[in-house]
Amino acid sequence: MSSTRETDRDRSLLDEFVENLSRHAVTAEVVDRSDASAAIGSELVGATVGTEGAFEGIEAPDGVTVDPTAEEITSADTGVTAGIVGVAGYGSVVVPSTERWDGPVSLYPPKHVAVLRRSDVVPDIAIALSRLSDRFATGANDVVFVTGRSSTGDMGASVVGVHGPSEMHVVVIDE
């Protein structure tokens, strides 16, 4: 009986996460691990870069440059990263900033695909920060809370600097 309640609670949390992602014009899908590579592959546009963490336990789709150079990142059309926490109440995805360049891969290409495990979706910011506290204690305290696509992503040359992606998709792996 308690597992049924927990499953209902988890489903409700996931529904809230997906609903709040859509409020920020972010598309999302929930897939089994066996379907994750195909789901990610169907979202790729043009030259694609990705970080290893995005493909942990799944095969990177064809055409993805994993461990890209700075030049490959800045010229890519799609970037694929792992999300380490999803905040259901805001529809936010937490992307770590690592030596694998997750941050730039999530920001430079016009399209960002974030890959997140269902078990990493939490209800609110307080729980997200609690989850991140162990990571922060080790000094790995640079993360980006991504809530929607860039609001300047479609303004082109009228805004100078990195705009962030104008399109975002989240693949939630249902384990």
Side-chain angles (χ1 to χ4, degrees), residues 79-136:
V80 184
T81 67
I84 56 174
V85 177
V87 184
Y90 290 95
S92 300
V93 176
V94 178
V95 175
S97 186
T98 69
E99 68 281 349
R100 297 174 310 205
W101 296 17
D102 297 77
V105 168
S106 74
L107 293 172
Y108 275 92
K111 183 171 185 177
H112 176 210
V113 177
V115 181
L116 186 70
R117 293 178 307 176
R118 177 181 175 180
S119 60
D120 290 330
V121 177
V122 300
D124 55 40
I125 292 291
I127 295 174
L129 291 174
S130 175
R131 277 225 182 161
L132 293 169
S133 65
D134 288 344
R135 178 184 180 85
F136 288 178

Side-chain angles (χ1 to χ4, degrees), residues 4 8 24 36-38 51 66 69 73 75 82 99 101 105 137-138 143 150 152 155 158 168:
T4 301
D8 290 345
H24 301 292
S37 181
T51 58
V66 179
T69 65
I73 293 170
S75 64
E99 68 281 349
W101 296 17
V105 168
T138 67
V143 297
S150 171
T152 61
M155 295 177 75
S158 58
M168 185 172 175

Side-chain angles (χ1 to χ4, degrees), residues 16-18 20-21 24 26 86-93 146-148 168:
E16 180 184 7
F17 180 58
V18 170
N20 282 324
L21 285 168
H24 301 292
V26 175
V87 184
Y90 290 95
S92 300
V93 176
V146 181
T147 305
M168 185 172 175

Side-chain angles (χ1 to χ4, degrees), residues 2-80:
S2 66
S3 67
T4 301
R5 273 189 248 142
E6 186 171 304
T7 300
D8 290 345
R9 188 176 333 124
D10 289 348
R11 180 62 49 203
S12 175
L13 185 65
L14 189 58
D15 290 346
E16 180 184 7
F17 180 58
V18 170
E19 181 179 322
N20 282 324
L21 285 168
S22 74
R23 289 184 178 161
H24 301 292
V26 175
T27 57
E29 62 189 305
V30 181
V31 300
D32 290 330
R33 181 170 293 282
S34 62
D35 298 326
S37 181
I40 295 166
S42 72
E43 290 296 320
L44 306 183
V45 177
T48 300
V49 294
T51 58
E52 286 185 26
F55 307 106
E56 193 173 294
I58 59 175
E59 185 175 329
D62 290 340
V64 177
T65 301
V66 179
D67 195 21
T69 65
E71 292 77 25
E72 289 169 325
I73 293 170
T74 57
S75 64
D77 300 299
T78 304
V80 184

